[in-house]
Amino acid sequence: MKLYAKTISNTLPDWATTVTKSADLFEVEINDEHPNFQSLLEQLATEIEPGTIGVKAEDLCSRLGIEMSNPSLQQLLEQAQTLISLIATHPHYEQLLETGYQPDLNIADAQTALTYLQWELDRNREPSA
C-alpha cells in the first residue's frame, strides 16, 4: 500500500519506507502484512458508517505523523493519464490482449474519459465572456 504525503515524521515505523521524495510530495510504501501494522489497524478500527468497520485515513496518518497530500484535480488527472499510458504499453497488458482479453470498455475509453475531463477543466479555467 502507498501513501502520498506533504510531510512525514523523521522516524517511520519499520513497516513504512519512504520510496520517493520531491519538494512537495513524499511517497511512503506500507508493508500492510507486517504484524505491527496489522496491530495498529486493529487499534484504529472504528465504525465508519453503520455496519462498516474500517480505519480512517486521517487517524492512520495522525498516528504516523504524516500530513496527507491533497492534490488538485488537475494533478490527479495528469497522474491518471500517465498511469493509463503505462498500462497500455505494459507487456502483461499486451499479453492479455494477445490471448483474447476483450473488455467492454478499454484503455482508449479511459483515455477519452480523461480527455473530456481535461476539456471541462480547461473550459472552466477560461474567463467568462
Side-chain angles (χ1 to χ4, degrees):
M1 170 172 68
K2 291 186 180 183
L3 294 175
Y4 296 90
K6 289 188 213 176
T7 62
I8 60 173
S9 67
N10 291 333
T11 56
L12 290 173
D14 58 354
W15 41 262
T17 307
T18 303
V19 178
T20 58
K21 299 177 195 178
S22 66
D24 59 348
L25 188 68
F26 292 89
E27 179 182 14
V28 180
E29 179 79 37
I30 304 288
N31 177 357
D32 54 2
E33 295 180 9
H34 193 285
N36 292 344
F37 179 73
Q38 291 297 320
S39 176
L40 177 62
L41 289 181
E42 289 173 13
Q43 293 171 23
L44 296 174
T46 184
E47 189 171 38
I48 295 175
E49 59 183 49
T52 303
I53 302 295
V55 173
K56 295 179 183 174
E58 180 181 338
D59 294 342
L60 177 60
C61 290
S62 175
R63 185 68 72 90
L64 291 173
I66 290 176
E67 181 185 350
M68 289 295 290
S69 173
N70 189 13
S72 69
L73 182 55
Q74 181 63 43
Q75 289 171 314
L76 292 173
L77 181 59
E78 290 168 9
Q79 290 171 357
Q81 289 168 328
T82 299
L83 288 173
I84 287 176
S85 294
L86 291 172
I87 291 169
T89 58
H90 192 280
H92 190 212
Y93 179 74
E94 291 174 351
Q95 180 184 14
L96 287 171
L97 292 174
E98 289 170 8
T99 59
Y101 174 64
Q102 295 180 344
D104 290 339
L105 299 172
N106 58 39
I107 295 293
D109 295 319
Q111 289 170 324
T112 300
L114 292 175
T115 298
Y116 289 164
L117 178 56
Q118 182 65 59
W119 289 346
E120 188 64 21
L121 288 176
D122 292 344
R123 191 173 68 90
N124 285 324
R125 257 190 261 161
E126 295 174 4
S128 300

